[in-house]
Amino acid sequence: MSLIVKKFGGSSVANAERVFNVANIIIDDYKKGNDVIVVVSAQGDTTDDLIEKAKEINPDGPSKREMDMLLASGEQISIALLAMAIEKLGCPVISLLGWQAGFNTDSHHGIARIRNINTERLKLEVSKHKIIIVAGFQGLNKYDDLTTLGRGGSDTSAVAIAAAMKADCCQIYTDVDGVYTADPRKVTNTQKLDQITYDEMLELATLGAQVLNNRSVEMAKKYNVELEVLSSLERKPGTIVKEIVKMEKTLIRGVAKDTNVTRISVIGLNDTPGVAFKLFNKLAQFKINVDIILQSVGRDGTKDITFTVPLDQGKDAITAIESIADILEYKEVVTDNSCAKVSIVGAGMESHPGVASKMFEALFDAGINIQMISTSEIKVSVLIDGKYADKAVQAVHEKFIQ
Ligand code: ADP
Ligand code: ASP
Ligand code: MG
């Protein structure tokens, strides 16, 4: 007998038929004598629809607290419906909201971090041999206010429960049957991976492969929770995410794309010590996530610094820069909201020179100009014009994966 944590994404519970399909998957494992804790997301596009509703009321963006109050309701619907389906099929079940399942988070509304899970209630319900259905993506802060964990956060809820309850396995069910070398819905000739390391998966997730939320992978690595990503529509093995995997012949494990990028150039800065410090220190104070940074070589006493930030932080970044305009004495700030970051990821590239140049060759052959480049041991990212993003991903994928 094992303790199994299963997570089902929005498309897996999008309508009544899908809810019963999921209920049957759960019951199959329960009837084999296992304890089953299930984390579920809001149905279909519910979260997007709720965001639209909020925009109708306040197009400038409502407070983050009230946004969380609204968005957390999506998961409340899906846990109740799934529990009702399991009841109807004759098994003991209970649905729990995030706070009832013991999720304590910090107070960063919209992107809260889990502080701890008080597992008392979960353990009580397990001891009663009930199937437990937990609302993903949500928790409670120390002021007893609802919080949400950021888009795609139900994955993190599932991994957190698996870690806290010392589950035997953690299965993430979705609408594809595993992790592929690129998004199988957008790129042709992608290959399914049998296994991938935490580090590679973390990079892919952070660089735009939304199949797993990056925080969930970070947590899985930290607590050594082995994950399986698999389909809720077809019963077959998926992709295992773990610490060490067997070496593959391929140099790279995947290609990812992120269009949630703004490029900001601060032009005509003084070419003196401390300028980069003052600029990035101010951005850090504004909690801006700076990604790729490029500084030009000084000429005639001035230099330019270009960097990227997530699209939704672009405005705040400009405000931050303008707040120290008199200190920085730059000539102008130029922003571009239509770029994309295309990345390749793979532990194999550490020991193989020439991987980056092969990627650049693919882009050259496709006639795509590179604006910025950034590398680490296991990834190479390039910033390009967003309108060529899909073409770039396809070209790079074809170059590396036969
Ligand atoms: P869920 O609602 O189940 O959480 P998501 O939409 O968040 O599902 O994630 C699944 C989607 O991730 C797939 O439908 C697929 O289009 C996309 N995806 C992007 N990159 C990859 C990849 N490398 N492998 C598999 N799926 C990917
Ligand atoms: N429902 C939330 C979202 O759409 C959480 C999730 O799906 O994981 O982002
Ligand atoms: Mg998801």
Side-chain angles (χ1 to χ4, degrees):
M1 195 178 94
S2 307
L3 172 61
I4 303 175
V5 173
K6 292 177 181 288
K7 179 257 166 178
F8 294 92
S11 50
S12 300
V13 290
N15 52 41
E17 190 193 338
R18 294 262 174 107
V19 169
F20 273 105
N21 169 57
V22 164
N24 279 310
I25 295 175
I26 296 166
I27 287 173
D28 279 355
D29 270 335
Y30 178 76
K31 286 199 169 156
K32 284 179 195 152
N34 300 300
D35 291 320
V36 187
I37 303 180
V38 177
V39 171
V40 60
S41 300
Q43 288 185 291
D45 296 328
T46 301
T47 308
D48 291 330
D49 295 344
L50 290 171
I51 292 170
E52 285 308 312
K53 275 188 194 298
K55 278 192 195 148
E56 282 171 22
I57 300 289
N58 182 354
D60 304 328
S63 72
K64 291 185 174 161
R65 181 193 183 276
E66 298 311 328
M67 245 354 242
D68 277 355
M69 190 63 103
L70 179 68
L71 295 191
S73 68
E75 272 68 12
Q76 180 161 359
I77 296 172
S78 52
I79 56 167
L81 292 175
L82 180 55
M84 288 174 191
I86 292 171
E87 267 176 3
K88 178 106 176 75
L89 295 171
C91 287
V93 61
I94 184 166
S95 65
L96 298 174
L97 289 167
W99 66 268
Q100 294 174 302
F103 275 81
N104 295 308
T105 74
D106 66 19
S107 292
H108 282 104
H109 285 288
I111 188 78
R113 274 189 185 270
I114 299 165
R115 280 188 194 273
N116 69 290
I117 301 181
N118 177 350
T119 54
E120 225 171 288
R121 180 74 186 271
L122 288 173
K123 284 181 178 151
L124 177 72
E125 302 300 343
V126 167
S127 73
K128 292 184 197 163
H129 297 295
K130 286 194 181 172
I131 296 170
I132 306 170
I133 313 290
V134 179
F137 175 58
Q138 56 174 261
L140 205 65
N141 70 12
K142 64 178 176 191
Y143 307 110
D144 285 349
D145 283 329
L146 289 177
T147 54
T148 65
L149 309 179
R151 299 304 306 268
S154 298
D155 297 339
T156 315
S157 308
V159 176
I161 290 183
M165 295 292 288
K166 300 193 172 44
D168 297 286
C169 66
C170 183
Q171 297 173 310
I172 310 286
Y173 289 83
T174 183
D175 56 0
V176 285
D177 61 359
V179 179
Y180 277 74
T181 49
D183 187 340
R185 295 188 188 285
K186 305 220 172 94
V187 181
T188 54
N189 295 326
T190 52
Q191 287 174 15
K192 186 170 137 186
L193 305 168
D194 293 333
Q195 305 185 330
I196 184 167
T197 66
Y198 292 127
D199 288 336
E200 290 170 318
M201 193 62 236
L202 183 56
E203 288 285 6
L204 276 180
T206 306
L207 295 167
Q210 104 235 36
V211 62
L212 280 178
N213 175 285
N214 60 349
R215 278 189 181 175
S216 73
V217 185
E218 200 174 60
M219 189 176 290
K221 178 178 164 74
K222 184 168 172 194
Y223 295 102
N224 206 19
V225 176
E226 198 172 294
L227 304 178
E228 183 179 11
V229 178
L230 67 173
S231 167
S232 62
L233 301 168
E234 291 170 276
R235 303 227 183 169
K236 58 178 180 183
T239 300
I240 304 290
V241 187
K242 58 181 185 174
E243 186 64 45
I244 297 168
V245 308
K246 59 180 188 300
M247 282 307 284
E248 301 259 349
K249 276 183 249 106
T250 49
L251 277 179
I252 70 156
R253 202 71 79 165
V255 184
K257 166 190 92 166
D258 185 3
T259 47
N260 176 29
V261 190
T262 293
R263 193 186 76 221
I264 300 177
S265 299
V266 190
I267 313 282
L269 289 156
N270 286 330
D271 189 20
T272 49
V275 170
F277 162 66
K278 285 171 197 157
L279 172 61
F280 292 108
N281 187 43
K282 186 49 74 181
L283 291 166
Q285 282 171 12
F286 274 67
K287 304 236 176 313
I288 309 284
N289 278 323
V290 177
D291 184 23
I292 311 177
I293 301 174
L294 190 77
Q295 178 178 296
S296 67
V297 175
R299 190 175 292 166
D300 302 329
T302 68
K303 64 187 172 190
D304 307 333
I305 295 182
T306 302
F307 56 90
T308 62
V309 301
L311 208 52
D312 58 355
Q313 295 188 351
K315 266 196 198 150
D316 287 351
I318 302 296
T319 308
I321 297 167
E322 286 174 352
S323 75
I324 49 166
D326 51 335
I327 301 171
L328 289 177
E329 293 179 0
Y330 53 81
K331 283 204 190 68
E332 59 172 329
V333 179
V334 180
T335 58
D336 181 353
N337 291 329
S338 61
C339 5
K341 187 167 64 172
V342 172
S343 310
I344 52 172
V345 172
M349 68 175 72
E350 242 178 322
S351 48
H352 285 84
V355 175
S357 84
K358 198 168 165 181
M359 180 188 194
F360 304 154
E361 186 185 15
L363 294 166
F364 168 63
D365 290 344
I368 297 168
N369 186 42
I370 299 172
Q371 301 173 352
M372 295 170 90
I373 300 169
S374 125
T375 64
S376 79
E377 283 99 342
I378 66 166
K379 67 135 208 223
V380 181
S381 298
V382 296
L383 197 75
I384 59 166
D385 186 334
K387 65 174 181 273
Y388 301 123
D390 289 332
K391 188 178 172 191
V393 172
Q394 189 69 55
V396 171
H397 188 270
E398 266 165 34
K399 191 85 176 171
F400 285 96
I401 291 152
Q402 306 307 321

